[in-house]
Amino acid sequence: MPASYVSYGRTNQKRRTRAAIKAAAADLIQRGKTPTMADIAEAALVSKSTAYRYFPSLEALIAEIMLDQTVALDLERVYEAAEIPGTAEERLEAVVREDHALVHQHERAFRTAIGVMLTAQQDETTRLPRRPGNRLRYLSQALAPLADQLEAEHFERLMMALALCVGIESMVVMKDICGLTPSEAEAVKLWAARALVRAALNESKNEPR
């Protein structure tokens, strides 16, 4: 497993490309145009095939732009929670709470966006591109105090496991499958996050160096 999330492939370059495509699309839309994917690719200085590698359809691209605009301010609160003074457990709890509030407040927008992203037509050789890794970044920030207590591989695995406790997917599981209320869902996600941190720390203590 890679040493850190940012070490995956050309992650930073891919983020810049994705951001450029979204910025180009947003600019065209704000200017009153109804752009095609070819128009957006040209404005972003990438090929149309590259644009389609990041966004399987024009609808998926527009859905993500609209979602970004809807949640931008509340997403900043999640990042702020990840850097509050305190232990990793306290920072993580703050992140789970803020993320839960964000998703609960904008649940309809999240569900609409993810529905469009996941129902785009794909042939058998095309993988759905990875969505933005906001949760991995703010979870990594929250867990920073544990960086010197866990091996890099264990830190990475903990962060990925905690990704199951946040985001719209966690809300779908808690509400649609488990039948919980939003407050009950938040309590379960907090419990799961704490349990995962304790498990990772105990495993680290018991492993021979």
Side-chain angles (χ1 to χ4, degrees):
M1 188 177 289
S4 68
Y5 173 64
V6 294
S7 68
Y8 293 150
R10 296 173 297 159
T11 303
N12 289 332
Q13 179 181 339
K14 290 177 180 178
R15 284 183 191 159
R16 287 193 294 270
T17 301
R18 173 183 278 274
I21 295 169
K22 289 169 63 175
D27 179 64
L28 290 170
I29 292 169
Q30 287 169 2
R31 286 194 277 150
K33 299 182 181 295
T34 306
T36 65
M37 194 65 97
D39 296 330
I40 294 166
E42 182 180 357
L45 303 178
V46 300
S47 67
K48 187 167 75 169
S49 61
T50 296
Y52 274 115
R53 277 201 298 272
Y54 284 86
F55 299 95
S57 70
L58 180 61
E59 291 77 14
L61 170 55
I62 293 173
E64 190 168 311
I65 292 170
M66 298 303 293
L67 182 61
D68 284 352
Q69 294 174 348
T70 300
V71 306
L73 289 177
D74 293 318
L75 184 60
E76 295 227 352
R77 295 192 186 96
V78 185
Y79 278 102
E80 290 169 1
E83 296 184 341
I84 63 170
T87 65
E89 290 86 347
E90 290 167 340
R91 290 155 66 119
L92 177 61
E93 181 170 330
V95 162
V96 174
R97 290 187 185 280
E98 287 293 345
D99 178 90
H100 180 81
L102 164 70
V103 174
H104 179 52
Q105 182 175 351
H106 304 290
E107 186 174 346
R108 180 174 295 180
F110 273 109
R111 286 179 180 266
T112 299
I114 199 171
V116 172
M117 294 172 194
L118 294 180
T119 56
Q121 294 297 317
Q122 298 284 307
D123 62 48
E124 293 182 357
T125 63
T126 304
R127 290 177 56 192
L128 197 67
R130 286 176 59 183
R131 289 167 30 225
N134 278 313
R135 74 187 71 183
L136 297 181
R137 290 194 286 278
Y138 52 67
L139 286 171
S140 179
Q141 290 172 7
L143 295 175
L146 296 182
D148 60 349
Q149 299 181 52
L150 299 175
E151 296 290 338
E153 181 178 350
H154 294 177
F155 183 92
E156 188 78 11
R157 184 173 59 192
L158 173 60
M159 185 175 63
M160 291 179 177
L162 287 167
L164 299 171
C165 300
V166 294
I168 181 60
E169 298 86 353
S170 67
M171 188 72 87
V172 169
V173 171
M174 292 292 100
K175 291 183 66 177
D176 297 10
I177 297 177
C178 299
L180 302 183
T181 65
S183 60
E184 291 170 337
E186 180 185 50
V188 171
K189 290 193 283 183
L190 286 166
W191 178 88
R194 296 187 196 107
L196 286 167
V197 171
R198 287 196 297 268
L201 290 172
N202 288 335
E203 183 181 55
S204 178
K205 290 176 184 176
N206 295 327
E207 274 200 359
R209 293 286 178 177

